[in-house]
Every structure is written in C-alpha cells, then in structure tokens.
C-alpha cells in the first residue's frame, strides 16, 4: 500500500510540475529574471500550491494519525539560524544558474537532456555533502 | 548559458499545476504524516528507515512525463542549458544548499508556508532573492558569459 500511494503522490506532484511550467528551466529562469524577460507565472504555482496545502493540512490534522503510518512527523525547529540562511542562499544561486530545483530535476530525468544528466548526480552528491556539513 | 528562451505568461495552467502540487503535499501529509519536500524525500530515499514510499514517490516524479506523453501525445516542453560545467555546479549547489538549509522550493516554499513556519518564510525569501540576483548577474551583468 505504502509504495503504491507514494508512487501516486509523486505522480500527481510531477504532473503538477509539468502543467504549471515549473518543470521547464526556461520558465523558471524567466520567472527569476525580474528585470528582463519576466514571466510571473510561477508565482501562481507557489500561491496555488501553498494555499491548497494550507487548507488540506488542516483537514489532514483533524485525524489523530496519518492513514499509513503511526504518527505525524512535522518539523519542530523554529530558530532562524546561519545554516538555514546559508543553505537557502547556496540553493538560490544554484537554482538561478540551472533553473532546476530538486522536484523538476527528477521529472526532467526522463527527457534525458545532457544538462539534466549532469545536474541530478551532482545534486545527489551535494545532498550528502550538505547533510554532513549540517551535522558538524 | 543558453540564449534567453521567451516563455508565455500562463496563469491558469500554473495555478492548476500549483493546486496539483498542493494536493500531492496534502496526500503525503494525510497518508504518511510527512512534509512533501523533494530534497528531504530524496535524502530519505537513501538513508531513512522507511525508504520504500520515498523511492516510490521519486519513481512517480520520474514517471510523470510518460503519463503526460500518453495523455497529451507529446513530451513536456523543456529547455535545459547545455553548459555542462555550469549545470554540474548548479546541481551541487542545489544539493548542498537544500540539505544545509533543510528544504527546497517544495519543503519550505509549499509545505513550510502552508504550516505558517517563520523559518520557511525566511528560507523562501532568501532563496528567491539569491536566485533572482544570480539570474540578474548572469543575464544582465556578465551577459551570457556562463
């Protein structure tokens, strides 16, 4: 059951990325190019997604536990620290160079562009390096 | 960096896609009780005690263009830079940054904002500002030198 619903959730997420335009780096880079070829479409992606999740989360949290696991596991950290802001800045620069954040990079793998085939393995190496850096 | 590819303003498709992304985040919360942050799911697919559904989630992301192909008759439109060193550096920075900063566009941008997390709001503002500044420098200061 869990792998099936995991797959289904990923599929819905991926279709959302494609339909929204978020899966196309050209569209992402134009969204970020506020003083140039600005395409504000992606503001609607984030807005629509966050609002849907805002409402849906509150419905989900009416249950005492999630359907397929024994308990909710939600981040509790509240401190805005150096690691958070440094990480976000480094991520932002990488996002601005390549036009990919992690979700769209995964969906792009299927299309097999050379840039994607370099980006994804380097992202995975980065994730593990970043986790080590975080635990220092 | 590739020449700038013009794109159309697509508010309705983007809103619809955003709602699907939000719906997926709600599914992950209601079913698994977790945040649908792709960076976190990616790391968890390799290291978590409960890897199965995370690996399946990523398989779903990878399969999405195929469903799109079946439904629409064409692969999704996409323009990826062919500058391989730049794409390698970009991938590395996205990996390191999302791991160190505990989240990405989905973990902080969608799920974190939906939880009204101050940490996530700070992260979102930071990565948006740095990403926009990077594009500004690459496109308008250096002028496509990358």
């Amino acid at each position: 059951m869990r792998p099936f619903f995991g797959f289904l959730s990923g599929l819905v997420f991926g279709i959302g990325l494609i339909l929204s335009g978020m899966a196309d780096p050209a569209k992402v880079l134009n969204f970020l190019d506020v003083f140039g070829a600005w395409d504000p479409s992606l503001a609607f992606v984030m807005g629509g997604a966050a609002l849907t999740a805002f409402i849906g989360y509150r419905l989900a949290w009416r249950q005492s536990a999630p359907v397929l696991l024994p308990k909710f596991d939600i981040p509790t950290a509240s401190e805005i620290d150096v690691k958070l802001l440094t990480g976000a800045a480094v991520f932002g620069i990488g996002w601005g160079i390549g036009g990919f954040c992690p979700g769209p990079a995964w969906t792009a793998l299927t299309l097999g562009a050379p840039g994607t085939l370099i980006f994804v393995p380097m992202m995975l190496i980065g994730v593990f390096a970043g986790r080590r850096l975080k635990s220092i | 960096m590739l020449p700038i590819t013009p794109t159309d303003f697509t508010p309705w498709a983007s809103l619809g896609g955003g709602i699907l992304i939000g719906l997926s985040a709600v599914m992950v919360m209601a079913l698994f009780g977790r945040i649908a942050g792709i960076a976190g799911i990616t790391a968890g697919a390799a290291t978590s005690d409960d890897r199965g559904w995370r690996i399946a989630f990523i398989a779903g992301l990878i399969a999405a263009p195929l469903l799109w192909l079946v439904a629409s008759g064409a692969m999704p439109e996409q323009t990826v830079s062919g500058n391989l060193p730049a794409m390698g550096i970009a991938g590395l920075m996205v990996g390191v940054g999302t791991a160190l900063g505990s989240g990405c566009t989905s973990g902080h941008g969608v799920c974190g904002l939906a939880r009204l997390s101050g940490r996530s709001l700070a992260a979102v503002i930071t990565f948006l500002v740095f990403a926009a500044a990077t594009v500004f420098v690459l496109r308008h200061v250096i002028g496509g030198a990358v």
Side-chain angles (χ1 to χ4, degrees):
Chain A
M1 284 298 265
R2 278 192 251 165
F4 171 77
F5 282 107
F7 181 80
L8 191 65
S9 304
L11 200 58
V12 171
F13 200 106
I15 292 294
L17 288 173
I18 296 167
L19 176 64
S20 68
M22 193 99 193
D24 182 0
K27 206 154 170 72
V28 172
L29 294 175
N30 285 347
F31 169 67
L32 295 170
D33 192 6
V34 180
F35 300 104
W38 195 42
D39 175 358
S41 305
L42 297 199
F44 290 78
V45 186
M46 272 216 204
L51 194 64
T52 304
F54 176 83
I55 298 165
Y57 275 6
R58 273 140 195 89
L59 296 175
W61 289 337
R62 286 187 185 176
Q63 310 296 317
S64 57
V67 178
L68 299 174
L69 285 173
K71 62 180 178 57
F72 287 106
D73 185 2
I74 295 159
T76 52
S78 60
E79 196 193 344
I80 297 171
D81 55 13
V82 177
K83 283 178 183 171
L84 176 82
L85 297 178
T86 310
V90 171
F91 163 48
I93 296 169
W95 192 31
I97 296 172
F100 275 138
C101 51
W106 281 120
T107 62
L109 210 52
T110 316
L111 285 89
T116 309
L117 299 181
I118 297 288
F119 185 97
V120 172
M122 291 300 279
M123 175 178 85
L124 297 179
I125 292 169
V127 166
F128 294 103
R131 280 165 76 91
R132 289 209 158 184
L133 207 59
K134 193 181 169 187
S135 62
I136 291 171
Chain B
M1 181 158 288
L2 288 179
I4 296 168
T5 307
T7 54
D8 296 325
F9 178 51
T10 54
W12 293 110
S14 291
L15 185 65
I19 289 170
L20 283 180
I21 292 167
L23 196 65
S24 169
V26 174
M27 288 167 73
V28 171
M29 182 58 73
L31 296 168
F32 301 105
R34 301 296 194 276
I35 295 298
I38 308 305
I41 290 176
T42 299
T47 59
S48 161
D49 297 332
D50 188 16
R51 297 162 60 182
W53 72 268
R54 292 180 168 91
I55 293 170
F57 185 97
I58 292 170
L61 285 177
I62 295 172
L66 302 175
L67 178 61
W68 184 269
L69 173 66
V70 170
S72 76
M75 279 302 234
E77 214 171 300
Q78 190 191 58
T79 312
V80 181
S81 168
N83 184 330
L84 301 185
M87 289 305 284
I89 291 166
L92 195 64
M93 291 185 83
V94 166
V96 170
T98 54
L100 186 62
S102 311
C104 56
T105 340
S106 51
H108 284 309
V110 177
C111 304
L113 295 186
R115 293 188 305 115
L116 305 178
S117 156
R119 244 172 85 82
S120 288
L121 181 61
V124 170
I125 292 169
T126 305
F127 67 61
L128 279 175
V129 166
F130 273 84
T134 302
V135 171
F136 182 79
V137 169
L138 292 178
R139 284 190 173 178
H140 305 294
V141 179
I142 303 173
V146 172

